[in-house]
């Protein structure tokens, strides 16, 4: 059996290899800058209850492969019910998609560096799925693979998994007991990404930090996704599809750049 860090390494590697060039969400491949390159004008607050996401765009037209058992469709990103919904469902065309399921993912149009990242979300409770909020850049962007994660595993939504990758090296997972069920209501998930440290918070309370390690240093896109796994039953449990569609909900995302 794979150890947890190996399982998560496989998962994030799949994300790094996401899409062929012809299907990428942005045609222009601009390398992300060092995380130190931030300005006050980078700050934003997207309120998804308004029915739009000004700084984001949906992933559409490809699948990540590996442990991701879904094809990203823009139709799986929905604002019609008063917030942002990322939906896991049956594939509308499994023969063309080459996946049995469809998933929802959204990412910022720009990259962001050191600062405070906050998301208000309600996760999916269902074996075999992940609901997430994270930053990412990697080989597709011409960058080293740097990533910072909040991941709620649907098999046990009383916990959240924290992690980071620096230049493709992971294995920094930490499971945190939340003291509540993340699928029952909205909660606020925040991390401070600062020079030499990452600090994670839940509902304003610090829950974990990493300091004086080889931490991410490359600006990344802010992302959220909901997806079913395959081949990682010992990590996520086997995916149960008897309650489709499954919906992860998001009310807002804010970013505040770091000030020295």
């Amino acid at each position: 059996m794979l150890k947890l860090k190996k399982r998560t390494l496989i998962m994030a590697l799949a994300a790094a290899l996401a899409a062929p060039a012809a299907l990428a969400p942005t045609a222009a491949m601009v390398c992300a800058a060092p995380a130190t390159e931030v300005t006050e004008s980078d700050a934003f607050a997207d309120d998804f209850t308004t029915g739009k996401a000004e700084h984001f765009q949906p992933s559409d037209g490809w699948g990540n492969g590996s442990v991701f058992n879904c094809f990203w469709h823009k139709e799986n990103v929905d604002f019609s019910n008063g917030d942002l919904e990322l939906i896991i469902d049956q594939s509308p065309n499994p023969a063309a998609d080459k996946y049995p399921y469809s998933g929802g993912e959204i990412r910022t149009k720009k990259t962001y560096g050191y600062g405070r990242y906050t998301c208000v979300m309600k996760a999916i409770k269902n074996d075999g799925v992940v609901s997430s909020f994270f930053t990412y850049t990697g080989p597709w962007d011409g960058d080293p693979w740097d990533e910072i994660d909040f991941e709620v595993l649907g098999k046990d939504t009383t916990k959240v998994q924290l992690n980071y990758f620096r230049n493709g090296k992971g294995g920094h997972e930490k499971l945190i007991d939340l003291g509540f069920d993340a699928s029952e209501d909205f909660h606020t998930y925040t991390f401070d990404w600062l020079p030499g440290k990452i600090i994670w918070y839940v509902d304003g309370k610090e829950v974990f930090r990493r300091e004086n390690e080889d931490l991410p240093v490359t600006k990344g896109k802010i992302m959220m996704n909901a997806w079913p796994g395959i081949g990682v039953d010992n990590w996520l449990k086997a995916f149960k599809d008897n309650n489709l569609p499954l919906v992860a909900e998001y009310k807002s995302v804010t970013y505040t750049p770091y000030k020295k």
Side-chain angles (χ1 to χ4, degrees), residues 196-199 206 209-215:
K197 68 178 72 174
I198 305 169
I199 309 170
E206 180 181 335
R209 66 170 57 201
R210 295 278 193 177
E211 296 181 277
N212 303 315
E213 301 177 24
D214 189 18
L215 300 172

Side-chain angles (χ1 to χ4, degrees), residues 88-100:
I88 300 172
D89 205 349
Q90 300 285 351
S91 167
N93 191 342
D97 288 352
K98 298 182 172 59
Y99 292 90

Side-chain angles (χ1 to χ4, degrees), residues 115-149:
R116 169 162 285 196
Y117 297 75
T118 298
C119 174
V120 179
M121 67 174 285
K122 180 164 61 172
I124 297 170
K125 186 181 186 70
N126 194 90
D127 286 353
V129 307
V130 176
S131 310
S132 69
F133 169 57
F134 62 107
T135 58
Y136 169 79
T137 192
W140 166 249
D141 302 298
D143 293 316
W145 169 14
D146 280 7
E147 181 174 341
I148 303 171
D149 301 303

Side-chain angles (χ1 to χ4, degrees), residues 26 59 98 115 125 130 132 169 172 174 181 186 201 231 255 258:
T26 53
S59 297
K98 298 182 172 59
K125 186 181 186 70
V130 176
S132 69
K169 183 179 179 181
H172 309 104
K174 179 69 174 180
D181 189 327
F186 288 92
Y201 307 82
Y255 168 72
Y258 164 71

